[in-house]
Amino acid sequence: MPMLDKPLREIDRNDLLLLCKKNWRVDEQFELKQDLPSKSGLDSWHTAGTISPYARDKILAEVVAFANSYGGDLVIGIAKTIDKPAAAERLSPIPNCADLAERLDDQARSCIEPPIPSLLTHAVVTEQDGSGVAIIRVPRSRLAPHRLCQDKGIRECYHRVGTRTESMTMRQIQDLTFSVARGVDSVIARLQGLQRDCCLWADAHTTSDDVRRLVLRVAAVPSSSDVYINPVHGVQAI
């Protein structure tokens, strides 16, 4: 299940401390990273303020896997236990976490195709020097399968298998494509049925005089638990 049943923007330091206190375990919808992945030592983010291609690909592979599976939360900046499955243990703040979250958001939108709708990033500053935790909340995508575009033209699809992120086989990609298509077809069929019902209702409620009428039908389809609207300048209500 997702890490916290609350809007991402409302998660604060106390929530993260409670997460560690409860030893929240990694599962198919929750992944922890103590730091940015690195082949050796610390990632270049700590010294040069840039995310290495290796760390970028490892993090975005997790994002793609969540989108192609059940959705989930990826948290960077919390140490985990050595148990199987691992659990949140303590905060391990990452430098300039707000900038890190923004960079990861930009890279996710440029390196993942098609782009994942409603993908959100959030930084929780836990220390006075600006270090803290970066969180990426990934919805279960209706545009799956998504793939990660890596260096040298490599494009790979990933999915979540228990607590692991694994590459998808061609058969799994095909099955996911057909499954998503069937879901879209069912939504279209449902909307067409509502349209027919609306027309029948309008025809059954005609008036004796020759008056043209306008019938408005509105259908709402849930998109995700979080709804985020980009700021619209000049319109105070929005």
Side-chain angles (χ1 to χ4, degrees):
M1 62 181 296
M3 173 185 61
L4 291 169
D5 188 19
K6 65 186 302 185
L8 182 64
R9 308 294 182 184
E10 296 180 9
I11 296 176
D12 57 22
R13 186 175 186 274
N14 290 332
D15 294 318
L16 299 178
L17 290 174
L18 182 61
L19 197 73
C20 297
K21 182 179 180 179
K22 290 185 175 181
N23 296 124
W24 199 278
R25 292 195 176 276
V26 170
D27 59 25
E28 64 273 6
Q29 289 185 281
F30 179 49
E31 180 61 47
L32 287 169
K33 300 291 183 187
Q34 179 173 345
D35 207 326
L36 290 171
S38 174
K39 292 182 179 179
S40 61
L42 294 174
D43 184 71
S44 57
W45 180 257
H46 289 265
T47 55
T50 59
I51 304 172
S52 68
Y54 179 83
R56 176 201 64 203
D57 291 345
K58 288 294 185 181
I59 292 296
L60 295 187
E62 304 276 6
V63 172
V64 168
F66 279 140
N68 286 338
S69 303
Y70 310 104
D73 291 331
L74 171 59
V75 182
I76 307 170
I78 292 184
K80 56 186 177 182
T81 64
I82 60 174
D83 302 338
K84 298 295 183 180
E89 185 176 42
R90 58 180 172 79
L91 297 183
S92 181
I94 306 295
N96 302 319
C97 64
D99 192 21
L100 175 62
E102 184 177 350
R103 298 281 187 90
L104 290 173
D105 183 86
D106 291 340
Q107 294 186 350
R109 298 182 190 282
S110 62
C111 297
I112 297 174
E113 57 181 29
I116 302 172
S118 303
L119 178 71
L120 295 176
T121 60
H122 176 54
V124 180
V125 177
T126 61
E127 310 300 324
Q128 293 184 351
D129 61 0
S131 59
V133 174
I135 307 172
I136 306 176
R137 176 158 290 179
V138 188
R140 181 174 185 173
S141 178
R142 291 180 173 84
L143 298 181
H146 297 270
R147 60 182 182 176
L148 174 61
C149 302
Q150 306 176 50
D151 292 338
K152 299 180 180 179
I154 299 175
R155 287 171 167 78
E156 193 82 43
C157 292
Y158 299 91
H159 65 159
R160 193 77 172 167
V161 181
T163 60
R164 305 187 310 277
T165 288
E166 297 183 356
S167 298
M168 298 177 68
T169 65
M170 183 59 68
R171 179 60 182 273
Q172 290 169 332
I173 294 172
Q174 291 173 343
D175 289 344
L176 178 57
T177 301
F178 292 145
S179 175
V180 171
R182 286 195 297 269
V184 173
D185 289 343
S186 66
V187 171
I188 293 175
R190 176 59 175 157
L191 293 176
Q192 290 174 340
L194 292 172
Q195 183 179 19
R196 288 192 297 270
D197 293 343
C198 182
C199 292
L200 291 173
W201 177 88
D203 291 340
H205 293 76
T206 58
T207 58
S208 57
D209 51 349
D210 185 14
V211 177
R212 299 184 64 182
R213 295 181 301 155
L214 174 65
V215 178
L216 297 179
R217 177 182 59 87
V218 178
V221 178
S223 57
S224 67
S225 57
D226 283 330
V227 177
Y228 177 71
I229 301 176
N230 287 320
V232 178
H233 299 290
V235 183
Q236 185 175 3
I238 297 179

